[in-house]
PDB file of all heavy atoms in Angstrom:
ATOM      1  N   SER A 542      12.867  13.963 -24.114  1.00  0.00           N
ATOM      2  CA  SER A 542      12.664  14.713 -22.878  1.00  0.00           C
ATOM      3  C   SER A 542      13.287  14.116 -21.636  1.00  0.00           C
ATOM      4  O   SER A 542      12.982  14.495 -20.530  1.00  0.00           O
ATOM      5  CB  SER A 542      11.146  14.886 -22.601  1.00  0.00           C
ATOM      6  OG  SER A 542      10.536  13.639 -22.487  1.00  0.00           O
ATOM      7  N   SER A 543      14.126  13.100 -21.838  1.00  0.00           N
ATOM      8  CA  SER A 543      14.756  12.440 -20.680  1.00  0.00           C
ATOM      9  C   SER A 543      16.214  12.166 -21.001  1.00  0.00           C
ATOM     10  O   SER A 543      16.639  11.995 -22.149  1.00  0.00           O
ATOM     11  CB  SER A 543      14.017  11.133 -20.373  1.00  0.00           C
ATOM     12  OG  SER A 543      14.067  10.232 -21.449  1.00  0.00           O
ATOM     13  N   SER A 544      16.972  12.055 -19.921  1.00  0.00           N
ATOM     14  CA  SER A 544      18.392  11.796 -20.081  1.00  0.00           C
ATOM     15  C   SER A 544      18.652  10.328 -20.447  1.00  0.00           C
ATOM     16  O   SER A 544      17.778   9.468 -20.312  1.00  0.00           O
ATOM     17  CB  SER A 544      19.121  12.124 -18.805  1.00  0.00           C
ATOM     18  OG  SER A 544      18.716  11.167 -17.777  1.00  0.00           O
ATOM     19  N   ALA A 545      19.832  10.064 -20.997  1.00  0.00           N
ATOM     20  CA  ALA A 545      20.214   8.665 -21.299  1.00  0.00           C
ATOM     21  C   ALA A 545      20.205   7.794 -20.047  1.00  0.00           C
ATOM     22  O   ALA A 545      19.820   6.633 -20.086  1.00  0.00           O
ATOM     23  CB  ALA A 545      21.596   8.645 -21.946  1.00  0.00           C
ATOM     24  N   LEU A 546      20.545   8.363 -18.928  1.00  0.00           N
ATOM     25  CA  LEU A 546      20.567   7.640 -17.662  1.00  0.00           C
ATOM     26  C   LEU A 546      19.167   7.216 -17.252  1.00  0.00           C
ATOM     27  O   LEU A 546      18.913   6.085 -16.853  1.00  0.00           O
ATOM     28  CB  LEU A 546      21.186   8.474 -16.544  1.00  0.00           C
ATOM     29  CG  LEU A 546      21.236   7.809 -15.137  1.00  0.00           C
ATOM     30  CD1 LEU A 546      22.076   6.511 -15.250  1.00  0.00           C
ATOM     31  CD2 LEU A 546      21.808   8.743 -14.091  1.00  0.00           C
ATOM     32  N   ALA A 547      18.193   8.141 -17.449  1.00  0.00           N
ATOM     33  CA  ALA A 547      16.828   7.837 -17.101  1.00  0.00           C
ATOM     34  C   ALA A 547      16.285   6.714 -18.000  1.00  0.00           C
ATOM     35  O   ALA A 547      15.555   5.797 -17.538  1.00  0.00           O
ATOM     36  CB  ALA A 547      15.963   9.066 -17.215  1.00  0.00           C
ATOM     37  N   GLN A 548      16.674   6.764 -19.268  1.00  0.00           N
ATOM     38  CA  GLN A 548      16.224   5.719 -20.184  1.00  0.00           C
ATOM     39  C   GLN A 548      16.801   4.347 -19.739  1.00  0.00           C
ATOM     40  O   GLN A 548      16.111   3.362 -19.735  1.00  0.00           O
ATOM     41  CB  GLN A 548      16.769   6.037 -21.614  1.00  0.00           C
ATOM     42  CG  GLN A 548      16.011   7.142 -22.264  1.00  0.00           C
ATOM     43  CD  GLN A 548      14.679   6.633 -22.866  1.00  0.00           C
ATOM     44  OE1 GLN A 548      14.573   5.491 -23.226  1.00  0.00           O
ATOM     45  NE2 GLN A 548      13.699   7.518 -23.014  1.00  0.00           N
ATOM     46  N   LYS A 549      18.052   4.332 -19.351  1.00  0.00           N
ATOM     47  CA  LYS A 549      18.699   3.102 -18.969  1.00  0.00           C
ATOM     48  C   LYS A 549      18.167   2.511 -17.695  1.00  0.00           C
ATOM     49  O   LYS A 549      17.947   1.288 -17.598  1.00  0.00           O
ATOM     50  CB  LYS A 549      20.232   3.355 -18.828  1.00  0.00           C
ATOM     51  CG  LYS A 549      21.025   2.081 -18.540  1.00  0.00           C
ATOM     52  CD  LYS A 549      22.503   2.410 -18.450  1.00  0.00           C
ATOM     53  CE  LYS A 549      23.286   1.139 -18.175  1.00  0.00           C
ATOM     54  NZ  LYS A 549      24.772   1.457 -18.105  1.00  0.00           N
ATOM     55  N   GLN A 550      17.827   3.403 -16.767  1.00  0.00           N
ATOM     56  CA  GLN A 550      17.362   2.923 -15.471  1.00  0.00           C
ATOM     57  C   GLN A 550      15.895   2.474 -15.447  1.00  0.00           C
ATOM     58  O   GLN A 550      15.471   1.728 -14.605  1.00  0.00           O
ATOM     59  CB  GLN A 550      17.541   4.009 -14.402  1.00  0.00           C
ATOM     60  CG  GLN A 550      19.007   4.327 -14.076  1.00  0.00           C
ATOM     61  CD  GLN A 550      19.144   5.384 -13.041  1.00  0.00           C
ATOM     62  OE1 GLN A 550      18.277   6.230 -12.861  1.00  0.00           O
ATOM     63  NE2 GLN A 550      20.281   5.402 -12.345  1.00  0.00           N
ATOM     64  N   HIS A 551      15.123   2.940 -16.420  1.00  0.00           N
ATOM     65  CA  HIS A 551      13.709   2.598 -16.444  1.00  0.00           C
ATOM     66  C   HIS A 551      13.470   1.136 -16.825  1.00  0.00           C
ATOM     67  O   HIS A 551      14.094   0.607 -17.743  1.00  0.00           O
ATOM     68  CB  HIS A 551      12.973   3.519 -17.420  1.00  0.00           C
ATOM     69  CG  HIS A 551      11.470   3.406 -17.270  1.00  0.00           C
ATOM     70  ND1 HIS A 551      10.714   2.366 -17.787  1.00  0.00           N
ATOM     71  CD2 HIS A 551      10.620   4.236 -16.656  1.00  0.00           C
ATOM     72  CE1 HIS A 551       9.450   2.602 -17.527  1.00  0.00           C
ATOM     73  NE2 HIS A 551       9.331   3.695 -16.829  1.00  0.00           N
ATOM     74  N   GLN A 552      12.627   0.493 -16.012  1.00  0.00           N
ATOM     75  CA  GLN A 552      12.322  -0.884 -16.304  1.00  0.00           C
ATOM     76  C   GLN A 552      11.383  -1.055 -17.497  1.00  0.00           C
ATOM     77  O   GLN A 552      10.621  -0.088 -17.820  1.00  0.00           O
ATOM     78  CB  GLN A 552      11.615  -1.477 -15.104  1.00  0.00           C
ATOM     79  CG  GLN A 552      10.270  -0.843 -14.793  1.00  0.00           C
ATOM     80  CD  GLN A 552       9.753  -1.098 -13.411  1.00  0.00           C
ATOM     81  OE1 GLN A 552      10.461  -1.487 -12.509  1.00  0.00           O
ATOM     82  NE2 GLN A 552       8.437  -0.850 -13.152  1.00  0.00           N
ATOM     83  N   GLU A 553      11.441  -2.170 -18.185  1.00  0.00           N
ATOM     84  CA  GLU A 553      10.466  -2.412 -19.253  1.00  0.00           C
ATOM     85  C   GLU A 553       9.094  -2.603 -18.626  1.00  0.00           C
ATOM     86  O   GLU A 553       8.934  -3.298 -17.568  1.00  0.00           O
ATOM     87  CB  GLU A 553      10.891  -3.713 -20.004  1.00  0.00           C
ATOM     88  CG  GLU A 553      12.073  -3.545 -20.909  1.00  0.00           C
ATOM     89  CD  GLU A 553      11.737  -2.537 -22.057  1.00  0.00           C
ATOM     90  OE1 GLU A 553      10.728  -2.752 -22.756  1.00  0.00           O
ATOM     91  OE2 GLU A 553      12.463  -1.595 -22.226  1.00  0.00           O
ATOM     92  N   PRO A 554       8.056  -2.080 -19.181  1.00  0.00           N
ATOM     93  CA  PRO A 554       6.723  -2.088 -18.520  1.00  0.00           C
ATOM     94  C   PRO A 554       6.126  -3.507 -18.541  1.00  0.00           C
ATOM     95  O   PRO A 554       6.348  -4.325 -19.463  1.00  0.00           O
ATOM     96  CB  PRO A 554       5.862  -1.183 -19.378  1.00  0.00           C
ATOM     97  CG  PRO A 554       6.526  -1.254 -20.789  1.00  0.00           C
ATOM     98  CD  PRO A 554       8.027  -1.335 -20.475  1.00  0.00           C
ATOM     99  N   ALA A 555       5.384  -3.832 -17.498  1.00  0.00           N
ATOM    100  CA  ALA A 555       4.669  -5.061 -17.432  1.00  0.00           C
ATOM    101  C   ALA A 555       3.585  -5.090 -18.507  1.00  0.00           C
ATOM    102  O   ALA A 555       2.938  -4.037 -18.782  1.00  0.00           O
ATOM    103  CB  ALA A 555       4.043  -5.255 -16.085  1.00  0.00           C
ATOM    104  N   GLN A 556       3.345  -6.207 -19.153  1.00  0.00           N
ATOM    105  CA  GLN A 556       2.251  -6.361 -20.100  1.00  0.00           C
ATOM    106  C   GLN A 556       1.047  -7.058 -19.485  1.00  0.00           C
ATOM    107  O   GLN A 556      -0.055  -6.947 -19.968  1.00  0.00           O
ATOM    108  CB  GLN A 556       2.784  -7.205 -21.295  1.00  0.00           C
ATOM    109  CG  GLN A 556       3.871  -6.472 -22.084  1.00  0.00           C
ATOM    110  CD  GLN A 556       4.679  -7.451 -22.914  1.00  0.00           C
ATOM    111  OE1 GLN A 556       5.162  -8.474 -22.425  1.00  0.00           O
ATOM    112  NE2 GLN A 556       4.816  -7.098 -24.186  1.00  0.00           N
ATOM    113  N   ILE A 557       1.350  -7.773 -18.384  1.00  0.00           N
ATOM    114  CA  ILE A 557       0.340  -8.534 -17.678  1.00  0.00           C
ATOM    115  C   ILE A 557       0.456  -8.208 -16.141  1.00  0.00           C
ATOM    116  O   ILE A 557       1.541  -8.379 -15.586  1.00  0.00           O
ATOM    117  CB  ILE A 557       0.506 -10.038 -17.914  1.00  0.00           C
ATOM    118  CG1 ILE A 557       0.566 -10.389 -19.413  1.00  0.00           C
ATOM    119  CG2 ILE A 557      -0.568 -10.876 -17.189  1.00  0.00           C
ATOM    120  CD1 ILE A 557       1.172 -11.710 -19.715  1.00  0.00           C
ATOM    121  N   LEU A 558      -0.626  -7.788 -15.571  1.00  0.00           N
ATOM    122  CA  LEU A 558      -0.663  -7.522 -14.136  1.00  0.00           C
ATOM    123  C   LEU A 558      -1.380  -8.730 -13.465  1.00  0.00           C
ATOM    124  O   LEU A 558      -2.402  -9.240 -13.918  1.00  0.00           O
ATOM    125  CB  LEU A 558      -1.449  -6.271 -13.810  1.00  0.00           C
ATOM    126  CG  LEU A 558      -0.748  -4.976 -14.130  1.00  0.00           C
ATOM    127  CD1 LEU A 558      -1.716  -3.809 -13.924  1.00  0.00           C
ATOM    128  CD2 LEU A 558       0.487  -4.750 -13.293  1.00  0.00           C
ATOM    129  N   LEU A 559      -0.837  -9.154 -12.348  1.00  0.00           N
ATOM    130  CA  LEU A 559      -1.390 -10.278 -11.580  1.00  0.00           C
ATOM    131  C   LEU A 559      -1.942  -9.771 -10.243  1.00  0.00           C
ATOM    132  O   LEU A 559      -1.267  -9.022  -9.567  1.00  0.00           O
ATOM    133  CB  LEU A 559      -0.282 -11.374 -11.310  1.00  0.00           C
ATOM    134  CG  LEU A 559       0.411 -11.897 -12.504  1.00  0.00           C
ATOM    135  CD1 LEU A 559       1.376 -12.967 -12.058  1.00  0.00           C
ATOM    136  CD2 LEU A 559      -0.552 -12.436 -13.578  1.00  0.00           C
TER     137      LEU A 559
END
Side-chain angles (χ1 to χ4, degrees):
S542 60
S543 61
S544 67
L546 179 60
Q548 286 280 334
K549 184 177 180 180
Q550 289 179 338
H551 193 280
Q552 63 197 17
E553 286 295 308
Q556 297 160 308
I557 306 161
L558 288 173
L559 306 183

